[in-house]
Amino acid sequence: MTQPTPVSPSERVVELDYVRGLALLGIYIMNMQVFNLSWGVSDDATGLSLGLLDEIVKMAREVFFSGKFNAMFSLLFAVGFTIQLQRLEAALGDAGRWIYVRRLLVLLGIGLLHGLVFWFGDVLHTYALLGFLLLLLRQVKDRWIITLAVACVFLPTLSHYLADLAYGPMSPQQMQALETAEVARDQAAFAHGTVSMGVQRNAEVFGDIYSGYFAAHRVVYMYAELLMTMLVGLLAGRHRWFQRAAAHPLVVTRVQRIALAVGILTAAGLYYAASHHGFGSNTWLAYLYGYSYRVCRAALMVFYVTSLLRLIQRPAWATGLRPLALAGRMALSNYLLQTAIALFIFRPWGLGLYGRCGPAASFALAVGIYVIVQLPFSVWWLRRFQFGPLEYLWRAATYGRFPPMRGGVAA
């Protein structure tokens, strides 16, 4: 029986690295506003004075970025899951699954540490938990995977309805009072508090996400959305869509155009529902908003992925975007580095800018840090080493030994 080893750089599917690099940028753009403001609270509710540029950036962020890039990352997670599990099972048979279970447990531990201590917006633990579900679904037929993915579009509506039944619907006044209280607590801890106060508040918010009304609504909403695109990724990995993309450019182009058309249509529905302020939680406008958002989220994500795949088939673009792929090779390290940099910018023990950056400034910070810091750092690191620092430790914990580290990839 073959001894399993981590995937070497030469065995990687390079298309996935490019897409991971793009996903990292989109995720940072969306996360930056949460580092700077309260969880689930709009920019307006924090008392920030928004100018015209802020309003434009805020609208663009919601239309083009919101949900699209965590969808992209969840798709990539499932594609990677399929490739890695197939490789392990080819080497070890059924025992290979237990190595993958250990890989998920390590990721879960990293995510919980990140979420409870450093930043409550962690998504790694969510991927790890859904990874266990993917293990159960790995041999389920395609038609049932597609059925479950479609069901995920409607599941958040059901969870919202049941949450309202269990806890009673919240009026706009109740929601406003809740937001005001949350903003005050966050300001005390994140804008003016000590390090220990920040950690305590962070753990408190992380726990609140999984308790009471929000556990019955927001958590199901989040998990259903991520699972929907993970199931698409499961199919993509199973049928080697990324590996076959270069050989089928017309298919990629067709999917790109269909995804764009669906994205535009559902974005129109999203805009129509959002423009009618004050609709209740169980009205047809609320349902239109939710369904439009979830389908638009997936459609535009597919459009972005297929557009990037078409670009990198051109040698000049592939070379120019090479730093993006290198950042994607060390996505875990870069994701956690984003947290470290943002905490330094916004917490009082750093630059203390919490609550002071509007949408335009947050957007510029995210793009600037990614382009000026993370891309060059990824290139520099991978010229010297085979893996990102945290990828190296993750592999070592998964396989029970330290793989060779020296010997960088071509940058």
Side-chain angles (χ1 to χ4, degrees):
M1 188 173 291
T2 306
Q3 181 73 16
T5 57
V7 177
S8 68
S10 62
E11 296 178 286
R12 297 181 67 91
V13 181
V14 69
E15 292 84 356
L16 297 179
D17 289 329
Y18 279 99
V19 180
R20 282 192 193 95
L22 178 62
L24 278 168
L25 173 58
I27 284 173
Y28 206 25
I29 287 171
M30 289 306 301
N31 283 349
M32 190 64 80
Q33 63 172 334
V34 187
F35 285 115
N36 175 48
L37 300 173
S38 298
W39 170 263
V41 174
S42 67
D43 304 279
D44 304 318
T46 61
L48 280 172
S49 177
L50 303 184
L52 178 60
L53 180 60
D54 284 315
E55 294 290 356
I56 293 172
V57 170
K58 179 183 175 183
M59 181 180 296
R61 188 183 64 195
E62 293 305 312
V63 172
F64 299 112
F65 291 88
S66 179
K68 283 71 176 180
F69 292 91
N70 63 13
M72 192 180 294
F73 232 119
S74 62
L75 174 114
L76 295 169
F77 179 86
V79 174
F81 157 85
T82 306
I83 294 171
Q84 293 156 1
L85 187 60
Q86 287 175 347
R87 186 173 180 273
L88 286 168
E89 288 182 327
L92 291 176
D94 291 341
R97 284 197 299 276
W98 294 107
I99 291 181
Y100 199 83
V101 167
R102 189 160 62 197
R103 177 179 175 83
L104 291 176
L105 288 173
V106 174
L107 183 63
L108 179 61
I110 294 172
L112 289 175
L113 178 64
H114 181 225
L116 287 167
V117 176
F118 296 100
W119 184 54
F120 54 79
D122 172 78
V123 76
L124 300 176
H125 73 284
T126 310
Y127 291 157
L129 292 173
L130 288 174
F132 290 107
L133 180 58
L134 291 180
L135 279 171
L136 298 177
L137 297 172
R138 69 191 184 281
Q139 294 180 339
V140 173
K141 293 182 178 179
D142 287 0
R143 65 175 180 270
W144 293 112
I145 297 296
I146 295 170
T147 300
L148 182 55
V150 172
C152 286
V153 176
F154 301 96
L155 183 59
T157 300
L158 177 62
S159 72
H160 198 165
Y161 179 75
L162 294 176
D164 283 351
L165 285 179
Y167 296 94
M170 286 193 180
S171 67
Q173 294 77 15
Q174 288 175 310
M175 290 298 297
Q176 184 176 5
L178 181 62
E179 285 192 352
T180 301
E182 290 298 305
V183 169
R185 293 191 189 99
D186 290 344
Q187 284 281 347
F190 299 144
H192 309 293
T194 62
V195 172
S196 61
M197 289 173 63
V199 171
Q200 182 179 353
R201 177 58 182 159
N202 188 73
E204 183 180 272
V205 176
F206 187 87
D208 286 345
I209 295 170
Y210 286 93
S211 63
Y213 177 86
F214 293 109
H217 169 47
R218 183 181 289 165
V219 171
V220 175
Y221 197 106
M222 175 179 65
Y223 276 80
E225 285 186 346
L226 292 176
L227 178 60
M228 178 175 67
T229 41
M230 275 194 184
L231 293 172
V232 176
L234 183 63
L235 294 175
R238 181 180 290 178
H239 297 289
R240 300 174 60 84
W241 291 349
F242 281 90
Q243 294 93 322
R244 296 163 57 194
H248 298 87
L250 293 180
V251 174
V252 174
T253 301
R254 190 176 300 119
V255 172
Q256 178 196 35
R257 292 172 178 172
I258 293 172
L260 178 60
V262 173
I264 292 173
L265 181 64
T266 49
L270 187 66
Y271 175 79
Y272 177 81
S275 64
H276 290 70
H277 298 290
F279 58 77
S281 61
N282 287 315
T283 66
W284 74 270
L285 281 171
Y287 297 148
L288 175 63
Y289 182 92
Y291 299 145
S292 296
Y293 175 81
R294 289 188 285 279
V295 177
C296 182
R297 168 185 173 273
L300 287 184
M301 178 272 292
V302 172
F303 171 71
Y304 295 155
V305 170
T306 50
S307 298
L308 183 58
L309 290 178
R310 290 188 65 190
L311 278 179
I312 63 176
Q313 295 309 313
R314 304 174 185 178
W317 279 97
T319 301
L321 293 174
R322 179 67 173 168
L324 199 70
L326 295 177
R329 282 182 184 266
M330 43 189 287
L332 177 62
S333 297
N334 275 313
Y335 174 71
L336 295 178
L337 178 60
Q338 289 176 350
T339 295
I341 295 173
L343 292 182
F344 174 75
I345 291 172
F346 294 114
R347 296 300 183 259
W349 45 263
L351 299 181
L353 297 181
Y354 183 84
R356 300 182 185 181
C357 295
S362 294
F363 186 94
L365 273 173
V367 174
I369 291 168
Y370 188 73
V371 172
I372 297 172
V373 177
Q374 292 197 279
L375 291 183
F377 171 70
S378 300
V379 173
W380 178 86
W381 183 274
L382 289 174
R383 280 177 176 163
R384 292 158 176 79
F385 306 104
Q386 294 191 57
F387 309 105
L390 286 170
E391 284 76 11
Y392 179 74
L393 296 176
W394 190 13
R395 282 164 169 77
T398 297
Y399 293 93
R401 61 186 180 279
F402 291 97
M405 183 65 166
R406 300 293 300 186
V409 300

